[in-house]
């Protein structure tokens, strides 16, 4: 409900937009803080462009594959908090807004569920920052010391949210099989808050996975090229239509 209309935030946004009087408004993702009503508000002020990074336009949860999402699916997820008018309201709010997605797969999902997408603009990065030739090896050694990364260990990098949807448990459960062939291998999880690390440790103890992975807390983006340089491989085992995470592009550039 709040994802459709967050009135208090909308009032604040209206004050800012009226004061700044922009020539063009780009809405770069939407969540409950702003809500989809920001689209309706902004188009009254200036031409508006919305980049969809997920399927929240048509679903209040992640979508596992491209299909027409049924009322039964929506109800089974939302249960007592279900808003039966959510998607209809959203389509009205974004009706006159130009929409792009960051992948063709996401465009397909939205259009199968009655949202017209004008274009696809893929995520991009500055590839030079991740080129191995431009990496300071002394800084990589400092990274090893700071996080106690063994020089004898091959690390498989898992970057981003350590959630079931992102496939973190799938990656963890694959490690015993990998370590049978490559014993000196660990899964390296980067960007995992301490509270999430505790959950992963509990899961590891319950599934005999202790010692197969290592967690690093949040790192500034500018240090990520060093992490790629230290890693032997990168894995993105998402369990849903993941809209082209930049980890993939950064890994290819590395």
């Amino acid at each position: 409900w709040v994802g459709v209309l967050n009135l208090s935030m909308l009032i604040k946004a209206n004050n800012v937009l009226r004061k700044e009087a922009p020539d063009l408004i780009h809405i770069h993702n939407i969540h409950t803080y702003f809500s989809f009503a920001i689209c309706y508000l902004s188009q009254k002020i200036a031409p508006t462009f919305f980049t969809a990074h997920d399927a929240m336009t048509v679903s209040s949860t992640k979508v596992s594959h491209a299909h027409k999402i049924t009322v039964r699916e929506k109800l089974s997820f939302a249960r007592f908090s279900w808003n039966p008018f959510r998607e209809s309201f959203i389509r009205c709010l974004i009706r006159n807004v130009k929409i792009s997605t960051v992948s063709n797969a996401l465009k397909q999902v939205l259009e199968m569920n009655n949202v017209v997408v004008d274009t696809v603009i893929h995520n991009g990065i500055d590839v030079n920052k991740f080129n191995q030739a431009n990496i300071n090896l002394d800084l990589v050694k400092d990274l090893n010391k700071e996080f106690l990364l063994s020089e004898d260990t091959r690390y498989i990098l898992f970057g981003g949210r350590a959630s079931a949807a992102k496939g973190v448990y799938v990656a963890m459960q694959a490690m015993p099989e990998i370590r049978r062939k490559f014993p000196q291998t660990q899964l390296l999880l980067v960007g995992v808050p301490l509270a999430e690390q505790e959950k992963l440790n509990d899961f590891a103890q319950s599934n005999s996975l202790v010692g197969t992975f290592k967690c690093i807390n949040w790192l500034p983006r500018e240090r990520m090229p060093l992490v790629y340089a230290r890693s032997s491989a990168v894995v993105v085992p998402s369990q849903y239509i993941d809209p082209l995470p930049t980890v993939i592009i950064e890994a290819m550039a590395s």
Side-chain angles (χ1 to χ4, degrees):
W1 290 84
V2 180
V4 176
L5 174 62
N6 185 335
L7 192 57
S8 63
M9 183 58 75
L10 210 60
I11 293 170
K12 295 176 183 177
N14 181 60
N15 293 337
V16 172
L17 291 173
R18 296 289 179 186
K19 179 182 177 182
E20 299 295 335
D23 298 310
L24 177 72
I25 299 171
H26 177 206
I27 298 171
H28 196 260
N29 213 355
I30 292 178
H31 38 64
T32 52
Y33 296 118
F34 277 106
S35 74
F36 281 94
I38 192 73
C39 290
Y40 184 81
L41 169 68
S42 62
Q43 63 184 283
K44 300 294 182 183
I45 298 170
T48 300
F49 193 85
F50 164 48
T51 299
H53 288 260
D54 52 40
M56 290 297 286
T57 317
V58 298
S59 172
S60 57
T61 187
K62 296 187 184 300
V63 178
S64 61
H65 61 285
H67 68 294
K68 178 75 173 177
I69 303 166
T70 65
V71 171
R72 184 176 181 179
E73 287 178 83
K74 297 171 185 176
L75 184 56
S76 65
F77 172 76
R79 303 187 70 186
F80 297 113
S81 65
W82 184 47
N83 177 353
F85 310 106
R86 180 186 183 277
E87 285 74 34
S88 299
F89 282 154
I90 290 172
R91 283 196 296 273
C92 290
L93 294 169
I94 65 176
R95 186 169 49 200
N96 297 318
V97 173
K98 292 293 183 182
I99 301 174
S100 75
T101 61
V102 294
S103 72
N104 289 309
L106 186 56
K107 179 178 186 288
Q108 182 183 16
V109 172
L110 266 55
E111 293 192 329
M112 289 179 76
N113 290 276
N114 305 317
V115 171
V116 177
V117 176
D118 296 283
T119 188
V120 175
I121 302 175
H122 297 290
N123 289 328
I125 61 166
D126 180 353
V127 294
N128 290 322
K129 292 181 179 178
F130 295 89
N131 189 321
Q132 296 283 306
N134 299 328
I135 302 297
N136 186 328
L137 295 181
D138 288 333
L139 293 178
V140 177
K141 291 178 181 177
D142 291 342
L143 189 83
N144 284 337
K145 292 177 183 177
E146 182 178 352
F147 297 107
L148 303 178
L149 302 179
S150 170
E151 293 191 9
D152 298 326
T153 301
R154 299 182 183 189
Y155 289 103
I156 299 175
L157 175 62
F158 181 105
R161 290 193 308 276
S163 64
K166 285 287 187 180
V168 68
Y169 299 113
V170 172
M172 290 175 68
Q173 289 172 312
M175 287 310 296
E177 184 70 22
I178 293 169
R179 283 161 66 94
R180 269 193 280 275
K181 188 169 184 179
F182 304 103
Q184 292 295 100
T185 305
Q186 275 192 319
L187 186 66
L188 182 63
L189 301 155
V190 177
V192 186
L194 293 177
E196 294 298 322
Q197 290 183 30
E198 291 179 8
K199 291 181 184 178
L200 297 180
N201 288 332
D202 290 343
F203 179 80
Q205 289 182 349
S206 302
N207 292 274
S208 302
L209 297 171
V210 175
T212 63
F213 70 101
K214 184 176 184 64
C215 290
I216 294 178
N217 211 327
W218 184 87
L219 278 179
R221 192 165 188 80
E222 57 268 19
R223 296 190 71 189
M224 283 306 294
L226 304 177
V227 178
Y228 287 107
R230 182 61 190 86
S231 305
S232 299
V234 176
V235 61
V236 185
S238 299
Q239 302 299 294
Y240 71 108
I241 294 180
D242 198 343
L244 192 62
T246 51
V247 170
I248 292 175
I249 311 170
E250 293 168 354
M252 290 192 292
S254 297

